[in-house]
Amino acid sequence: MKTGTLKQILLITDGCSNTGEDPIAMSALAQEQGITVNVIGVMEQDVIDDQGMKEIEGIAMSGGGVSQIVYSQQLSQTVQMVTRKAMTQTLQGVVNKELQQILGGSDTIEDLPPEKRGEVMEVVDELGETVGLEVLILVDTSASMKHKLPTVKEALLDLSLSLNARTGENRFSVFVFPGKKKDVEKLLDWTPKLDSLTSIFAKLTTGGITPTGPAIREALTYFQKKRSLRSLISRDDEQFFEESV
């Protein structure tokens, strides 16, 4: 079964967007392009207001992903849980499509007899360990996130360690919003490990606005750039191969 590489955007925020495009619409666009959007809302002693809660749930729902509201102390295990849960959810979707093609109906994993369902879920679990995974992490650095950033850094390092225990290839990239000079800024290019975050996070400055919509739009553009560069390289390789033969 070919699944290619699973692509995820992981958005970590503590409030509502207040500038730029509608993040829920941007998230729906991501799902259309085969990219899942997961959202973690971070609280301290306070609570996230209703509007923030609705936005977090709406972004994840329209992006086909998972949302979770947590206190910053539980952030580390939540980041891992949300990423894994979204992988399983996406893979179940892939398997369901395959089943419908094989069985010629609208059957899903849930419709299978218990013993068959168990076998199919074993395949899903195995794919979860072996499939390629790309996670573009969007970190809210608006003013209210200032004291939560050290916890975010530790959570991302733990995520990197946890996922690198898989046999599948992992690639991470980190963007922050707002950036120093523009709404969204790339902090870290694609890498299999997030160790270098330790030095970078200490230098981050926090600002007042929360451009969540523009951040998701920038993440989509970044995924597209990588794809077009890959296709350009593979076209060049094909041309070189044809000329060499």
Side-chain angles (χ1 to χ4, degrees):
M1 183 184 297
K2 281 191 176 180
T3 54
T5 298
L6 296 187
K7 296 177 174 66
Q8 292 188 16
I9 291 171
L10 175 63
L11 170 63
I12 301 175
T13 181
D14 72 345
C16 261
S17 58
N18 52 26
T19 184
E21 299 94 333
D22 176 7
I24 293 174
M26 288 292 109
S27 187
L29 188 60
Q31 196 190 17
E32 280 174 28
Q33 295 178 14
I35 301 164
T36 305
V37 184
N38 305 309
V39 194
I40 296 174
V42 193
M43 300 187 292
E44 278 183 321
Q45 305 314 314
D46 49 353
V47 292
I48 290 180
D49 63 23
D50 282 349
Q51 195 185 347
M53 187 88 80
K54 279 181 189 162
E55 183 173 280
I56 284 163
E57 287 169 357
I59 292 169
M61 198 177 290
S62 66
V66 178
S67 67
Q68 192 78 32
I69 308 287
V70 290
Y71 286 106
S72 47
Q73 305 91 281
Q74 284 106 38
L75 187 61
S76 197
Q77 65 250 45
T78 304
V79 165
Q80 293 175 47
M81 181 271 289
V82 163
T83 307
R84 290 267 184 183
K85 192 174 174 185
M87 283 173 72
T88 304
Q89 201 167 278
T90 307
L91 289 167
Q92 281 179 350
V94 172
V95 171
N96 279 338
K97 277 185 191 165
E98 292 263 333
L99 282 175
Q100 285 157 17
Q101 283 177 353
I102 294 163
L103 303 173
S106 57
D107 287 16
T108 64
I109 295 169
E110 286 72 28
D111 301 319
L112 294 171
E115 67 281 3
K116 285 285 176 203
R117 195 183 313 146
E119 286 175 27
V120 170
M121 284 312 295
E122 275 181 33
V123 172
V124 170
D125 289 343
E126 191 180 322
L127 282 170
E129 290 304 308
T130 57
V131 73
L133 177 67
E134 291 178 349
V135 186
L136 193 152
I137 300 152
L138 292 175
V139 181
D140 176 355
T141 49
S142 58
S144 53
M145 281 289 288
K146 185 172 186 176
H147 301 299
K148 300 167 192 168
L149 287 181
T151 316
V152 171
K153 180 197 77 182
E154 294 307 323
L156 295 183
L157 292 173
D158 284 352
L159 173 69
S160 176
L161 285 170
S162 157
L163 291 178
N164 278 312
R166 299 166 62 249
T167 52
E169 185 188 354
N170 303 303
R171 284 156 65 78
F172 306 98
S173 181
V174 183
F175 281 65
V176 294
F177 65 101
K180 276 183 187 173
K181 294 179 182 171
K182 46 189 180 177
D183 280 351
V184 192
E185 196 174 299
K186 180 173 70 178
L187 204 63
L188 196 61
D189 206 345
W190 292 109
T191 175
K193 292 182 179 176
L194 291 172
D195 314 33
S196 46
L197 280 178
T198 306
S199 56
I200 301 170
F201 257 62
K203 298 170 192 164
L204 279 182
T205 53
T206 47
I209 60 166
T210 313
T212 312
I216 298 171
R217 184 197 62 215
E218 187 64 32
L220 294 186
T221 308
Y222 196 57
F223 270 115
Q224 286 162 355
K225 272 182 193 163
K226 192 168 71 62
R227 267 208 300 275
S228 38
L229 180 62
R230 263 199 193 148
S231 60
L232 183 70
I233 291 168
S234 57
R235 275 206 306 275
D236 286 351
D237 285 350
E238 281 167 23
Q239 193 178 353
F240 174 75
F241 180 72
E242 284 163 11
E243 287 167 2
S244 304
V245 172

